[in-house]
Amino acid sequence: SDPRRVDHERARSWARMVAEGFIPAERVVHHLAGASCVIGKPGPGTASEAALMGVPFVTEAGASVMPQEVCVLDWLREEGLGVTVPDLENCGEDLLVQVETCRPALAKHRNRAVFQVAAEVEEFLKRDVVAAGDDQAVPVGASAEDAERVQR
C-alpha cells in the first residue's frame, strides 16, 4: 500500500476529534457527555469523572507513570473501565475496538463516592459539634435560617 495514500475513513474520524488542554470544572460534564473516550494522564480525578459519565479512559502505562497513579491503572484494568497501553504514540490500530470492550463495565459502574464522602463529612461534623457541647456552633453548610435558630 502507498503510504502517501489518504485513508479517507481515518481522516473523517480524526476530523471529529477534539484535543483539549485544561478544561474548567463547569465544562467537564459537557465535554465528557459527547466524548467517545478520554485519552490522558492517569490522574484519579479525570479517570473517575470519565467512568462516572460512562466514557472509557485511555492512558499510558509506561515508565512515565507516577507512583500515585499506579492504583488508577490497576483500577481501570480490574474494573474494565479503560484501556492502558504501553505507549500512547504507538497504541495500536485496534484501540477503538479495545475502547468499545469497556462499555458493558461502564454501564454497570456506579461510583457515588463524591456524594458518600460529603455525607460522611456532614455526619462527622454533626457528631463533632454535639460531642464538643458547643450549642452555639453552626454546622458547615447550614442555611442562614438554621444558623439564626442556633444563635437564639
Side-chain angles (χ1 to χ4, degrees):
S1 126
D2 183 352
R4 295 170 296 175
R5 184 177 157 268
V6 174
D7 180 342
H8 293 288
E9 184 59 35
R10 180 176 248 171
R12 277 193 295 280
S13 70
W14 279 103
R16 295 188 310 258
M17 293 186 184
V18 176
E20 290 282 349
F22 176 78
I23 300 172
E26 63 273 4
R27 301 282 300 149
V28 170
V29 171
H30 168 75
H31 280 279
L32 289 176
S36 297
C37 70
V38 173
I39 301 174
K41 188 173 174 2
T46 305
S48 61
E49 286 172 339
L52 186 64
M53 293 293 295
V55 179
F57 191 81
V58 179
T59 191
E60 191 172 75
S64 65
V65 173
M66 298 174 75
Q68 67 270 24
E69 296 169 338
V70 172
C71 61
V72 176
L73 296 175
D74 294 342
W75 177 68
L76 289 170
R77 287 185 196 119
E78 290 167 10
E79 300 296 322
L81 304 174
V83 177
T84 59
V85 296
D87 179 6
L88 283 173
E89 292 185 26
N90 300 298
C91 54
E93 293 184 15
D94 69 336
L95 180 62
L96 294 179
V97 172
Q98 292 180 57
V99 163
E100 289 306 312
T101 65
C102 300
R103 302 267 180 223
L106 286 161
K108 294 180 205 170
H109 181 69
R110 298 290 176 257
N111 182 349
R112 307 291 297 162
V114 68
F115 305 108
Q116 293 165 335
V117 168
E120 290 290 324
V121 168
E122 184 177 8
E123 278 304 308
F124 171 79
L125 291 172
K126 287 178 182 175
R127 283 192 311 267
D128 191 44
V129 167
V130 171
D134 185 354
D135 58 355
Q136 296 299 307
V138 179
V140 174
S143 68
E145 293 82 24
D146 289 339
E148 194 174 309
R149 272 187 239 124
V150 168
Q151 299 298 327
R152 288 187 214 152

